[in-house]
């Protein structure tokens, strides 16, 4: 379930509606936002199945005039480090001029009959600011099929700081709309932000 909006009170209400440890999540997010006005936000709760366990996770994305804030909260079962279940909440605050890429991937059914304005069935929002990169390497080769020389490796580096996937089937059409609206607001905010010096 994702909620989006433009006020601090709306953000708090969306966190409470998610029902996922709202006091814990709201306190962490509000501390990160501080006194800044909220421009846009998305609250996305995801449930995953890991072996015999059901795990919940919530991601809160917040846009202010100067920063992009991301908060993750995960719950964990009791383990060797804790005899009781526990949750971990982390927040990261990124200046808008640090955001280097915003990728919006849309999956549409029947592309040959696509009508502008039709919602995609799935959206993946990927935001990069240089904190985390993924490197994919593979052995390099030349065009000679008889060559057995070592040509080293080739690969690519991809910014992979945050990836948020929502779908019509799993999250509902409102969630897809809200994620697209947040992505547009973030894209517009970074387009008007002066480059870092």
């Amino acid at each position: 379930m994702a909620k989006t909006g433009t006020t601090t009170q709306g953000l708090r209400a969306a966190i409470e509606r998610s029902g996922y440890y709202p006091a814990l999540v709201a306190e962490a997010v509000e501390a990160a936002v501080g006194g800044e006005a909220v421009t846009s936000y998305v609250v996305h709760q995801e449930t995953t199945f890991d072996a015999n366990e059901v795990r919940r996770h919530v991601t809160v994305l917040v846009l202010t005039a100067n920063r992009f804030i991301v908060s993750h909260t995960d719950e964990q079962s009791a383990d060797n480090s804790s005899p009781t279940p526990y949750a971990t909440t982390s927040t990261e605050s990124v200046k808008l001029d640090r955001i280097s890429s915003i990728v919006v991937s849309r999956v549409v059914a029947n592309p040959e009959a696509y009508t502008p304005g039709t919602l995609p069935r799935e959206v993946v929002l990927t935001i990069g600011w240089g904190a985390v990169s993924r490197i994919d390497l593979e052995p390099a080769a030349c065009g000679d099929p008889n060559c057995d020389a070592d040509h080293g490796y080739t690969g690519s580096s991809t910014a992979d700081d945050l990836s948020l996937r929502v779908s019509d089937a799993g999250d509902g059409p409102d969630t897809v709309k809200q994620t697209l609206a947040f992505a547009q607001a973030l894209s517009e905010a970074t387009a008007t932000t002066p480059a870092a010096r």
Side-chain angles (χ1 to χ4, degrees):
M1 166 183 286
K3 302 293 178 198
T4 187
T6 57
T7 67
T8 304
Q9 295 82 11
L11 173 60
R12 178 66 182 239
I15 291 170
E16 289 174 359
R17 277 193 307 274
S18 79
Y20 183 83
Y21 307 122
L24 173 65
V25 173
E27 181 179 51
V29 170
E30 289 169 358
V33 170
E36 285 191 79
V38 172
T39 304
S40 186
Y41 61 83
V42 174
V43 177
H44 181 256
Q45 182 182 328
E46 183 177 21
T47 302
T48 58
F49 301 93
D50 182 19
N52 296 327
E53 295 182 31
V54 176
R55 293 186 185 215
R56 296 181 301 160
H57 171 89
V58 69
T59 300
V60 180
L61 308 180
V62 179
L63 178 62
T64 71
N66 302 305
R67 298 181 296 147
F68 165 68
I69 298 162
V70 58
S71 174
H72 295 287
T73 302
D74 293 289
E75 64 183 357
Q76 305 292 329
S77 301
D79 58 22
N80 293 339
S81 67
S82 176
T84 60
Y86 60 98
T88 303
T89 299
S90 62
T91 57
E92 184 171 0
S93 176
V94 182
K95 289 184 178 182
L96 290 178
D97 62 8
R98 295 267 315 158
I99 294 179
S100 56
S101 68
I102 302 166
V103 180
V104 181
S105 300
R106 303 165 192 242
V107 178
V108 298
N110 303 314
E112 69 282 353
Y114 178 78
T115 303
T118 302
L119 281 180
R121 70 178 189 197
E122 181 178 309
V123 171
V124 179
L125 172 60
T126 304
I127 303 167
W129 58 90
V132 178
S133 292
R134 180 181 67 237
I135 299 176
D136 296 316
L137 295 175
E138 61 185 41
C142 69
D144 181 357
N146 297 319
C147 180
D148 60 358
D150 182 357
H151 294 286
Y153 289 88
T154 185
S156 62
S157 175
T158 307
D160 199 19
D161 295 306
L162 173 81
S163 190
L164 180 72
R165 177 188 171 271
V166 297
S167 69
D168 185 17
D171 303 294
D174 287 343
T175 299
V176 174
K177 282 182 203 173
Q178 293 163 349
T179 302
L180 289 171
F182 181 84
Q184 182 174 346
L186 181 60
S187 184
E188 289 171 357
T190 58
T192 60
T193 301
R197 294 189 179 111

